Amino acid sequence: MPQANAKLNAFPVFMRVEGKAVAIVGGGEEALAKARLIGQSSAVLRIIAENAEPDLLTFIAQNNLTRVAVSYDASHLEGVVLVFAASGDEALDRRVAADAHRLGIPVNAVDRPELCDFFTPALVNRAPVAIAIGTEGAGPVLAQMLRARIDQMLSPSLGSLAVLAASFRSAAEKLLPKGNVRRRFWSGFFQGAPARAVEAGELSQAHDAATDLLLSNAPASGHIALVGAGPGAEDLLTLRAHRLLTEADVIVHDALVPEAIVAMGRRDAERLPVGKRKGCHTKSQAEINALLVELGREGKRVVRLKSGDPLVFGRAGEEMAALRDAGIAYEVVPGVTAAFAAAADFELPLTLRGVSSSMVFTTGHDLKGNSLPDWAKLAISGATVAVYMGRSVAAEVAGRLIEAGLSPDTAVAVVENASLANRRRFHGTLADLPSLEARADLTGPVMTIIGDAVAGANFERSEPLGAHRHESAATAAAVGVEQ
Ligand code: SAH
């Protein structure tokens, strides 16, 4: 809430400039910055610059602008609706401002607020939707910061959605009574199927969805987004994931997703933890599938948050099948999978020219049978192997790979809590890997990466796995684990 006595000294308005002339006086960087800003509108730009710098000349040529290439004269302002004095020359800018005042044309003088009739905003442009941020010259840095924040909250396709909305406005006014019913239509339009279709680039589908919404009085249909929350660090969430979170009615999340990410949802969104961590009350996969179907049928907008990427060891296949069978709309939003976060933490090239040109995502839990799975063969041929949920089968993985012919000296990198501040890194060889199983000190999720490419990682901030061999034997003995 603004303070009671806080009045704006500059009041924002949206001025019609379509087809109108706007003049910029100046040939340097400041003039180019203004040309870029006004160039986002359909005004006709006139650049008055006896001498223009190369970047400005390129911009003028690329955008087909008019340049008056003689020294400035008041007659150049004829017929313009706005003037920018952006020459960088104080005397000239003052002259331009004085001429503009005399002619009754609003003027903006770069970096001279005392000469300005108006200020230019920091602009979030989703034409025809515009968000203009002004600070009355107090802080361009602040304005840009706000601009960046607002920009990432809004879908890139918001403009197309607004155009579609405009084309439905008169029909909605004709067919729907004013008040609740009309409001419900618009909220379904902007948050439901039409908006989602625009987002997906399906304009004709969006049109059909909006028509359906207009003609039927059916309640909004539900939608489930299977969203990757990334490996743990909040700022590794994608912008799309963040936006869907802030729009969701219900957030259904796994235990591995940090609280800080779940908390990005609306305050009044319902939050349903579905567990999958030892010791917590957890729902079975069938129960989760049924829950998603039920929420979809209730018309809810649901974000199903999974750690990492939803399609990597996330059982998304089963959830999608259940939603498909029930005829409930869904989409998938990728996330940064744990292997990528672990590799980044180690500066580890997952593919390395001449060393490794393929990559395996595995759990290692399929090594128990008699035949070697195909991925083990890939490992032997030089693929980089990322082992998910591999801590409890570390000895099995190492043993079988060595048995199959992979050198015990093959490099191994292990990260606990990849991407998070409390991450721990370990490095060693395949021969050291079994020591992981007995470590009681690793309580977070653990990613293991095996392969020759691992040798290209940065081990400066990691502890040797082997160093723990004796210690872990002692720990194991203490906690009664067999080595
Ligand atoms: N869908 C997730 C994987 C879920 S399986 C993804 O794409 O990342 C859970 C396993 O992922 C854990 O046992 C662990 O091996 C790995 N994992 C998840 N987050 C991790 C993290 N921050 N650091 C290390 N490993 C992680």
Short mmCIF file of all heavy atoms in Angstrom, two decimals, residues 28-75:
data_model
loop_
_atom_site.label_atom_id
_atom_site.label_comp_id
_atom_site.label_asym_id
_atom_site.label_seq_id
_atom_site.Cartn_x
_atom_site.Cartn_y
_atom_site.Cartn_z
N GLY A 28 24.68 9.16 -31.15
CA GLY A 28 25.51 8.23 -30.39
C GLY A 28 24.72 7.16 -29.67
O GLY A 28 23.59 6.84 -30.04
N GLU A 29 25.36 6.67 -28.62
CA GLU A 29 24.80 5.57 -27.83
C GLU A 29 23.44 5.89 -27.23
O GLU A 29 22.53 5.07 -27.24
CB GLU A 29 25.76 5.35 -26.67
CG GLU A 29 26.16 3.95 -26.40
CD GLU A 29 27.23 3.96 -25.32
OE1 GLU A 29 28.42 4.12 -25.65
OE2 GLU A 29 26.84 3.86 -24.14
N GLU A 30 23.31 7.14 -26.68
CA GLU A 30 22.04 7.51 -26.03
C GLU A 30 20.91 7.51 -27.04
O GLU A 30 19.80 7.06 -26.76
CB GLU A 30 22.12 8.90 -25.38
CG GLU A 30 23.11 9.03 -24.24
CD GLU A 30 24.49 9.49 -24.70
OE1 GLU A 30 24.76 9.43 -25.92
OE2 GLU A 30 25.29 9.89 -23.83
N ALA A 31 21.21 8.03 -28.23
CA ALA A 31 20.19 8.07 -29.28
C ALA A 31 19.80 6.65 -29.68
O ALA A 31 18.61 6.35 -29.87
CB ALA A 31 20.72 8.84 -30.50
N LEU A 32 20.80 5.77 -29.76
CA LEU A 32 20.52 4.38 -30.14
C LEU A 32 19.63 3.71 -29.09
O LEU A 32 18.68 2.99 -29.41
CB LEU A 32 21.83 3.60 -30.32
CG LEU A 32 21.70 2.11 -30.63
CD1 LEU A 32 20.89 1.88 -31.92
CD2 LEU A 32 23.07 1.45 -30.77
N ALA A 33 19.93 3.96 -27.80
CA ALA A 33 19.12 3.36 -26.73
C ALA A 33 17.67 3.80 -26.85
O ALA A 33 16.74 3.00 -26.73
CB ALA A 33 19.69 3.74 -25.37
N LYS A 34 17.45 5.09 -27.11
CA LYS A 34 16.08 5.57 -27.25
C LYS A 34 15.44 5.00 -28.51
O LYS A 34 14.25 4.66 -28.52
CB LYS A 34 16.05 7.11 -27.32
CG LYS A 34 16.46 7.78 -26.01
CD LYS A 34 15.57 7.41 -24.85
CE LYS A 34 15.98 8.13 -23.57
NZ LYS A 34 15.43 7.50 -22.36
N ALA A 35 16.24 4.90 -29.60
CA ALA A 35 15.69 4.35 -30.85
C ALA A 35 15.23 2.91 -30.62
O ALA A 35 14.18 2.49 -31.10
CB ALA A 35 16.73 4.42 -31.96
N ARG A 36 16.02 2.17 -29.84
CA ARG A 36 15.65 0.77 -29.55
C ARG A 36 14.34 0.73 -28.77
O ARG A 36 13.47 -0.10 -29.03
CB ARG A 36 16.74 0.09 -28.72
CG ARG A 36 17.96 -0.27 -29.51
CD ARG A 36 18.57 -1.58 -29.01
NE ARG A 36 19.61 -2.01 -29.90
CZ ARG A 36 20.91 -1.77 -29.70
NH1 ARG A 36 21.30 -1.12 -28.61
NH2 ARG A 36 21.80 -2.17 -30.58
N LEU A 37 14.22 1.61 -27.80
CA LEU A 37 13.02 1.63 -26.96
C LEU A 37 11.78 1.99 -27.79
O LEU A 37 10.79 1.27 -27.81
CB LEU A 37 13.21 2.62 -25.81
CG LEU A 37 12.09 2.72 -24.81
CD1 LEU A 37 11.99 1.43 -23.98
CD2 LEU A 37 12.27 3.91 -23.88
N ILE A 38 11.86 3.13 -28.50
CA ILE A 38 10.70 3.58 -29.28
C ILE A 38 10.46 2.65 -30.47
O ILE A 38 9.34 2.50 -30.94
CB ILE A 38 10.89 5.03 -29.78
CG1 ILE A 38 11.24 5.95 -28.61
CG2 ILE A 38 9.64 5.55 -30.48
CD1 ILE A 38 10.25 5.91 -27.48
N GLY A 39 11.55 2.00 -30.92
CA GLY A 39 11.43 1.04 -32.02
C GLY A 39 10.53 -0.14 -31.67
O GLY A 39 10.13 -0.90 -32.55
N GLN A 40 10.20 -0.31 -30.39
CA GLN A 40 9.27 -1.39 -30.01
C GLN A 40 7.83 -1.00 -30.28
O GLN A 40 6.92 -1.80 -30.10
CB GLN A 40 9.43 -1.71 -28.52
CG GLN A 40 10.81 -2.26 -28.20
CD GLN A 40 10.89 -2.73 -26.76
OE1 GLN A 40 10.05 -3.47 -26.29
NE2 GLN A 40 11.91 -2.27 -26.07
N SER A 41 7.62 0.25 -30.70
CA SER A 41 6.26 0.70 -31.00
C SER A 41 6.13 0.88 -32.51
O SER A 41 7.10 0.78 -33.25
CB SER A 41 5.99 2.04 -30.30
OG SER A 41 6.69 3.07 -31.00
N SER A 42 4.89 1.20 -32.94
CA SER A 42 4.67 1.40 -34.37
C SER A 42 4.77 2.89 -34.74
O SER A 42 4.27 3.31 -35.77
CB SER A 42 3.32 0.82 -34.78
OG SER A 42 2.32 1.36 -33.93
N ALA A 43 5.43 3.69 -33.89
CA ALA A 43 5.67 5.09 -34.24
C ALA A 43 6.66 5.15 -35.41
O ALA A 43 7.41 4.21 -35.64
CB ALA A 43 6.27 5.83 -33.04
N VAL A 44 6.64 6.26 -36.13
CA VAL A 44 7.59 6.44 -37.23
C VAL A 44 8.76 7.26 -36.70
O VAL A 44 8.61 8.42 -36.35
CB VAL A 44 6.92 7.19 -38.41
CG1 VAL A 44 7.91 7.36 -39.56
CG2 VAL A 44 5.68 6.44 -38.87
N LEU A 45 9.93 6.61 -36.63
CA LEU A 45 11.08 7.27 -36.00
C LEU A 45 11.81 8.17 -36.98
O LEU A 45 12.05 7.80 -38.12
CB LEU A 45 12.04 6.21 -35.48
CG LEU A 45 11.91 5.85 -34.01
CD1 LEU A 45 12.90 4.78 -33.64
CD2 LEU A 45 12.14 7.08 -33.15
N ARG A 46 12.17 9.35 -36.49
CA ARG A 46 12.97 10.26 -37.29
C ARG A 46 14.23 10.57 -36.48
O ARG A 46 14.13 11.11 -35.37
CB ARG A 46 12.16 11.53 -37.53
CG ARG A 46 12.83 12.57 -38.39
CD ARG A 46 12.00 13.85 -38.44
NE ARG A 46 10.64 13.65 -38.94
CZ ARG A 46 9.69 14.58 -38.89
NH1 ARG A 46 9.94 15.78 -38.37
NH2 ARG A 46 8.48 14.34 -39.36
N ILE A 47 15.39 10.19 -37.00
CA ILE A 47 16.63 10.40 -36.26
C ILE A 47 17.34 11.61 -36.87
O ILE A 47 17.65 11.61 -38.06
CB ILE A 47 17.58 9.19 -36.39
CG1 ILE A 47 16.82 7.88 -36.18
CG2 ILE A 47 18.80 9.34 -35.47
CD1 ILE A 47 16.79 7.33 -34.83
N ILE A 48 17.57 12.61 -36.05
CA ILE A 48 18.24 13.81 -36.55
C ILE A 48 19.68 13.78 -36.06
O ILE A 48 19.94 13.95 -34.86
CB ILE A 48 17.50 15.07 -36.07
CG1 ILE A 48 16.05 15.01 -36.60
CG2 ILE A 48 18.21 16.34 -36.54
CD1 ILE A 48 15.05 15.55 -35.63
N ALA A 49 20.59 13.46 -36.97
CA ALA A 49 21.99 13.29 -36.58
C ALA A 49 22.89 13.62 -37.74
O ALA A 49 22.87 12.93 -38.76
CB ALA A 49 22.23 11.84 -36.14
N GLU A 50 23.64 14.69 -37.56
CA GLU A 50 24.57 15.06 -38.62
C GLU A 50 25.62 13.95 -38.73
O GLU A 50 25.95 13.50 -39.81
CB GLU A 50 25.22 16.40 -38.28
CG GLU A 50 26.00 16.96 -39.44
CD GLU A 50 26.54 18.35 -39.13
OE1 GLU A 50 26.45 18.78 -37.96
OE2 GLU A 50 27.03 18.99 -40.06
N ASN A 51 26.14 13.55 -37.55
CA ASN A 51 27.09 12.44 -37.52
C ASN A 51 26.47 11.32 -36.69
O ASN A 51 26.01 11.57 -35.59
CB ASN A 51 28.40 12.87 -36.85
CG ASN A 51 28.97 14.10 -37.53
OD1 ASN A 51 29.22 14.08 -38.74
ND2 ASN A 51 29.14 15.18 -36.77
N ALA A 52 26.48 10.13 -37.27
CA ALA A 52 25.91 9.01 -36.51
C ALA A 52 26.96 7.91 -36.40
O ALA A 52 27.70 7.64 -37.33
CB ALA A 52 24.67 8.48 -37.21
N GLU A 53 26.99 7.30 -35.21
CA GLU A 53 27.95 6.21 -34.98
C GLU A 53 27.52 4.96 -35.74
O GLU A 53 26.33 4.79 -36.03
CB GLU A 53 28.06 5.94 -33.47
CG GLU A 53 28.86 7.02 -32.78
CD GLU A 53 28.96 6.85 -31.28
OE1 GLU A 53 28.59 5.76 -30.77
OE2 GLU A 53 29.42 7.80 -30.61
N PRO A 54 28.47 4.07 -36.02
CA PRO A 54 28.17 2.89 -36.85
C PRO A 54 27.00 2.05 -36.33
O PRO A 54 26.15 1.61 -37.12
CB PRO A 54 29.47 2.08 -36.82
CG PRO A 54 30.54 3.05 -36.47
CD PRO A 54 29.91 4.15 -35.69
N ASP A 55 26.93 1.83 -35.00
CA ASP A 55 25.85 0.99 -34.47
C ASP A 55 24.48 1.60 -34.75
O ASP A 55 23.53 0.90 -35.07
CB ASP A 55 25.98 0.84 -32.94
CG ASP A 55 27.12 -0.10 -32.58
OD1 ASP A 55 27.69 -0.70 -33.51
OD2 ASP A 55 27.42 -0.22 -31.38
N LEU A 56 24.42 2.92 -34.64
CA LEU A 56 23.15 3.60 -34.91
C LEU A 56 22.82 3.50 -36.40
O LEU A 56 21.67 3.24 -36.78
CB LEU A 56 23.22 5.07 -34.46
CG LEU A 56 21.95 5.88 -34.67
CD1 LEU A 56 20.77 5.29 -33.90
CD2 LEU A 56 22.14 7.35 -34.26
N LEU A 57 23.86 3.68 -37.25
CA LEU A 57 23.63 3.57 -38.69
C LEU A 57 23.10 2.19 -39.05
O LEU A 57 22.16 2.06 -39.85
CB LEU A 57 24.94 3.83 -39.46
CG LEU A 57 25.38 5.31 -39.46
CD1 LEU A 57 26.74 5.45 -40.13
CD2 LEU A 57 24.33 6.18 -40.17
N THR A 58 23.66 1.16 -38.43
CA THR A 58 23.19 -0.20 -38.70
C THR A 58 21.73 -0.33 -38.27
O THR A 58 20.90 -0.87 -39.01
CB THR A 58 24.03 -1.22 -37.88
OG1 THR A 58 25.41 -0.92 -38.11
CG2 THR A 58 23.73 -2.64 -38.28
N PHE A 59 21.41 0.20 -37.09
CA PHE A 59 20.04 0.11 -36.58
C PHE A 59 19.08 0.83 -37.53
O PHE A 59 17.98 0.33 -37.84
CB PHE A 59 19.96 0.70 -35.17
CG PHE A 59 18.64 0.49 -34.50
CD1 PHE A 59 18.35 -0.69 -33.84
CD2 PHE A 59 17.66 1.49 -34.53
CE1 PHE A 59 17.11 -0.89 -33.22
CE2 PHE A 59 16.42 1.30 -33.93
CZ PHE A 59 16.16 0.11 -33.27
N ILE A 60 19.50 2.00 -38.00
CA ILE A 60 18.66 2.79 -38.92
C ILE A 60 18.41 2.00 -40.20
O ILE A 60 17.27 1.88 -40.68
CB ILE A 60 19.34 4.14 -39.24
CG1 ILE A 60 19.30 5.04 -37.98
CG2 ILE A 60 18.66 4.84 -40.42
CD1 ILE A 60 20.09 6.34 -38.11
N ALA A 61 19.49 1.36 -40.73
CA ALA A 61 19.35 0.61 -41.98
C ALA A 61 18.46 -0.61 -41.76
O ALA A 61 17.54 -0.87 -42.54
CB ALA A 61 20.73 0.19 -42.48
N GLN A 62 18.70 -1.34 -40.66
CA GLN A 62 17.95 -2.57 -40.42
C GLN A 62 16.47 -2.31 -40.22
O GLN A 62 15.64 -3.15 -40.54
CB GLN A 62 18.49 -3.29 -39.18
CG GLN A 62 19.74 -4.08 -39.48
CD GLN A 62 20.40 -4.60 -38.21
OE1 GLN A 62 20.03 -4.21 -37.10
NE2 GLN A 62 21.38 -5.48 -38.38
N ASN A 63 16.15 -1.15 -39.65
CA ASN A 63 14.75 -0.89 -39.33
C ASN A 63 14.10 0.11 -40.26
O ASN A 63 12.98 0.55 -40.01
CB ASN A 63 14.64 -0.43 -37.87
CG ASN A 63 15.06 -1.52 -36.91
OD1 ASN A 63 14.29 -2.41 -36.62
ND2 ASN A 63 16.30 -1.47 -36.46
N ASN A 64 14.85 0.43 -41.34
CA ASN A 64 14.26 1.29 -42.34
C ASN A 64 13.81 2.64 -41.80
O ASN A 64 12.74 3.12 -42.11
CB ASN A 64 13.02 0.57 -42.91
CG ASN A 64 13.16 0.45 -44.40
OD1 ASN A 64 13.89 1.26 -45.00
ND2 ASN A 64 12.49 -0.52 -44.98
N LEU A 65 14.62 3.24 -40.93
CA LEU A 65 14.24 4.49 -40.30
C LEU A 65 14.68 5.68 -41.16
O LEU A 65 15.56 5.56 -42.02
CB LEU A 65 14.89 4.61 -38.91
CG LEU A 65 14.67 3.44 -37.97
CD1 LEU A 65 15.35 3.70 -36.63
CD2 LEU A 65 13.17 3.18 -37.76
N THR A 66 14.07 6.81 -40.87
CA THR A 66 14.45 8.03 -41.57
C THR A 66 15.56 8.72 -40.80
O THR A 66 15.46 8.89 -39.58
CB THR A 66 13.25 9.01 -41.61
OG1 THR A 66 12.13 8.28 -42.08
CG2 THR A 66 13.53 10.22 -42.49
N ARG A 67 16.62 9.11 -41.52
CA ARG A 67 17.65 9.89 -40.84
C ARG A 67 17.76 11.24 -41.52
O ARG A 67 17.84 11.32 -42.76
CB ARG A 67 19.00 9.16 -40.93
CG ARG A 67 20.13 10.02 -40.39
CD ARG A 67 21.46 9.31 -40.44
NE ARG A 67 22.54 10.27 -40.21
CZ ARG A 67 23.72 10.21 -40.80
NH1 ARG A 67 23.98 9.23 -41.67
NH2 ARG A 67 24.62 11.11 -40.53
N VAL A 68 17.76 12.29 -40.71
CA VAL A 68 17.99 13.63 -41.22
C VAL A 68 19.47 13.92 -40.95
O VAL A 68 19.88 14.11 -39.81
CB VAL A 68 17.10 14.66 -40.50
CG1 VAL A 68 17.32 16.06 -41.06
CG2 VAL A 68 15.63 14.26 -40.61
N ALA A 69 20.28 13.90 -42.02
CA ALA A 69 21.73 13.90 -41.82
C ALA A 69 22.34 15.29 -41.95
O ALA A 69 23.37 15.47 -42.59
CB ALA A 69 22.38 12.94 -42.81
N VAL A 70 21.68 16.26 -41.34
CA VAL A 70 22.26 17.62 -41.33
C VAL A 70 22.23 18.10 -39.89
O VAL A 70 21.62 17.45 -39.03
CB VAL A 70 21.46 18.59 -42.22
CG1 VAL A 70 21.54 18.18 -43.69
CG2 VAL A 70 20.00 18.66 -41.77
N SER A 71 22.86 19.23 -39.62
CA SER A 71 22.87 19.66 -38.23
C SER A 71 21.45 20.09 -37.84
O SER A 71 20.66 20.57 -38.66
CB SER A 71 23.90 20.76 -38.01
OG SER A 71 23.42 21.94 -38.58
N TYR A 72 21.14 19.89 -36.55
CA TYR A 72 19.77 20.05 -36.04
C TYR A 72 19.22 21.45 -36.28
O TYR A 72 19.91 22.45 -36.11
CB TYR A 72 19.75 19.73 -34.54
CG TYR A 72 18.50 20.24 -33.87
CD1 TYR A 72 17.31 19.52 -33.98
CD2 TYR A 72 18.50 21.45 -33.16
CE1 TYR A 72 16.15 19.99 -33.39
CE2 TYR A 72 17.34 21.93 -32.57
CZ TYR A 72 16.17 21.20 -32.69
OH TYR A 72 15.02 21.67 -32.12
N ASP A 73 17.94 21.47 -36.64
CA ASP A 73 17.22 22.74 -36.77
C ASP A 73 15.80 22.51 -36.27
O ASP A 73 15.25 21.41 -36.43
CB ASP A 73 17.20 23.16 -38.25
CG ASP A 73 16.51 24.50 -38.41
OD1 ASP A 73 17.19 25.53 -38.29
OD2 ASP A 73 15.26 24.50 -38.65
N ALA A 74 15.22 23.54 -35.65
CA ALA A 74 13.87 23.39 -35.07
C ALA A 74 12.86 22.89 -36.10
O ALA A 74 11.89 22.21 -35.75
CB ALA A 74 13.42 24.73 -34.48
N SER A 75 13.08 23.21 -37.35
CA SER A 75 12.11 22.80 -38.38
C SER A 75 12.02 21.27 -38.49
O SER A 75 11.03 20.73 -38.99
CB SER A 75 12.51 23.40 -39.74
OG SER A 75 13.74 22.85 -40.15
#
